[in-house]
Amino acid sequence: MAYKSTILITGGTSGLGYYAALDIARSCPSSQVIISSRSDKEKAAAFINKTLGQSNVIFAPLDLGNLANVRKYARDFAAAGHPPIRALLLNAALQFPGEVETTADGIEATFGITHVGHALLFHLLVPHLADHARVVITSSGTHDPSKFTGIFALPVPIYTSAEELAHPKPAFSATHSGRQRYGTSKLCNVLWMYALERHLAERAPERHITVTAMDPGLMPGTGLGREAGAAARFVWHSSGAALARLAVGDDAGVRGVTGKYFEGRTEIPSSTDSYNVEKQEDLWRWTVGFVSGGDEEAKRRFQEFR
């Protein structure tokens, strides 16, 4: 079958990403749906196809903690001749609750996988994005300390600078837990969403690419949930459907909407810190500089979205 468009979702083999991919594949049978993570041990792509009686879902391995692998992934995508991307869902994330761990590129792993790998993937896939394409970023309510107070309080995300998050000094690492690093990485998702939306509007308005971020709420673990109870399956299905709506929904609440933050299906304000333009631009400048690898032509191309 000749597909009309591509929909790509990272972290699409389990949990929230799996249920979003299932919903998207069902509602968009004429689109090629690519689910990506480091592995597909549970054969999620095949299971979705079997469940739906379709064949439009494929798996493509991707290691967001290795920028060389992200570059290879983008080259392989281009070589495969897939149709233009109508929706890019940057959904994958990992949390490292113990001591600081680093990626293959020597940056703190939570920040590296949740933000940096996704940012490079976006910039490399820009030439393959259709006009009016949607970029959807899975963030988390953990980025907003006002949502968790009292006995439910979580470590407050602290954004100092992108460089500090990428290469934390020992003193910084000693006072920032893995849970705090995770919440801060989710704050980075929202900061980058606002920065990306602004730069797209300034430099590539004719492409009409939209960018949104979403908090899916508390997720009941990972996996496909084939054996999970009814309550867990309901949460997965509901949150997956909300993520799918941002990517491919056609109602007025999402069509053409950009630079907005959602909690499930509802547009809400993000955290106070996430609106700090200085922090947004610090993250933007550092990210473009780092993922371009010091190549001035690549840096220019990334900033011009071509």
Side-chain angles (χ1 to χ4, degrees):
M1 176 178 179
Y3 295 107
K4 297 179 180 179
S5 61
T6 299
I7 300 165
L8 194 158
I9 177 167
T10 68
T13 60
S14 65
L16 172 68
Y18 168 80
Y19 281 92
L22 176 66
D23 196 282
I24 289 169
R26 179 187 292 114
S27 61
C28 304
S30 64
S31 292
Q32 176 85 80
V33 180
I34 302 177
I35 59 176
S36 293
S37 62
R38 290 186 65 179
S39 66
D40 188 16
K41 294 179 181 178
E42 298 194 67
K43 308 298 181 185
F47 191 72
I48 292 175
N49 286 330
K50 181 179 179 180
T51 299
L52 300 179
Q54 298 173 185
S55 58
N56 61 324
V57 182
I58 63 173
F59 169 73
L62 171 65
D63 182 358
L64 290 164
N66 185 323
L67 298 186
N69 183 264
V70 176
R71 295 180 191 281
K72 180 181 182 302
Y73 181 94
R75 291 195 300 270
D76 290 347
F77 181 92
H82 294 295
I85 299 169
R86 63 179 283 198
L88 175 62
L89 290 80
L90 305 178
N91 168 73
L94 283 178
Q95 183 173 176
F96 300 87
E99 296 296 319
V100 171
E101 296 188 32
T102 56
T103 68
D105 303 281
I107 58 177
E108 192 280 314
T110 314
F111 178 69
I113 292 168
T114 305
H115 168 65
V116 181
H118 276 139
L120 176 60
L121 181 66
F122 165 79
H123 284 295
L124 294 175
L125 292 181
V126 159
H128 307 287
L129 294 179
D131 288 345
H132 301 276
R134 300 183 193 181
V135 179
V136 183
I137 304 165
T138 300
S139 182
S140 167
T142 60
H143 93 280
D144 188 351
S146 72
K147 295 186 65 175
F148 299 93
T149 58
I151 63 172
F152 301 106
L154 295 173
V156 175
I158 298 177
Y159 186 97
T160 50
S161 70
E163 174 60 25
E164 183 74 65
L165 296 178
H167 303 107
K169 297 179 177 64
F172 183 89
S173 301
T175 57
H176 292 72
S177 68
R179 294 173 68 207
Q180 187 173 54
R181 290 193 295 272
Y182 180 78
T184 302
S185 75
K186 289 301 182 179
L187 171 59
C188 289
N189 287 156
V190 186
L191 289 167
W192 191 68
M193 181 270 289
Y194 289 130
L196 177 57
E197 188 277 332
R198 182 168 56 253
H199 285 273
L200 280 166
E202 292 172 353
R203 301 182 183 218
E206 72 286 352
R207 300 196 63 184
H208 304 286
I209 297 170
T210 63
V211 192
T212 54
M214 178 186 134
D215 166 23
L218 296 176
M219 294 286 97
T222 58
L224 300 189
R226 297 169 187 168
E227 307 301 326
R233 290 199 306 273
F234 174 80
V235 172
W236 268 319
H237 277 291
S238 178
S239 297
L243 184 58
R245 171 178 174 256
L246 283 176
V248 299
D250 197 39
D251 61 277
V254 296
R255 188 176 59 251
V257 172
T258 189
K260 302 297 181 181
Y261 179 76
F262 288 76
E263 183 180 64
R265 299 178 66 88
T266 305
E267 181 188 323
I268 66 168
S270 53
S271 71
T272 299
D273 267 2
S274 70
Y275 293 106
N276 186 309
V277 175
E278 183 178 341
K279 292 179 179 180
Q280 293 169 11
E281 287 303 301
D282 174 79
L283 181 63
W284 177 261
R285 288 190 299 270
W286 182 92
T287 301
V288 172
F290 187 81
V291 300
S292 63
D295 183 323
E296 288 302 316
E297 173 55 32
K299 186 176 180 180
R300 192 159 44 247
R301 186 172 68 252
F302 286 174
Q303 293 180 344
E304 294 174 359
F305 305 106
R306 58 184 176 85

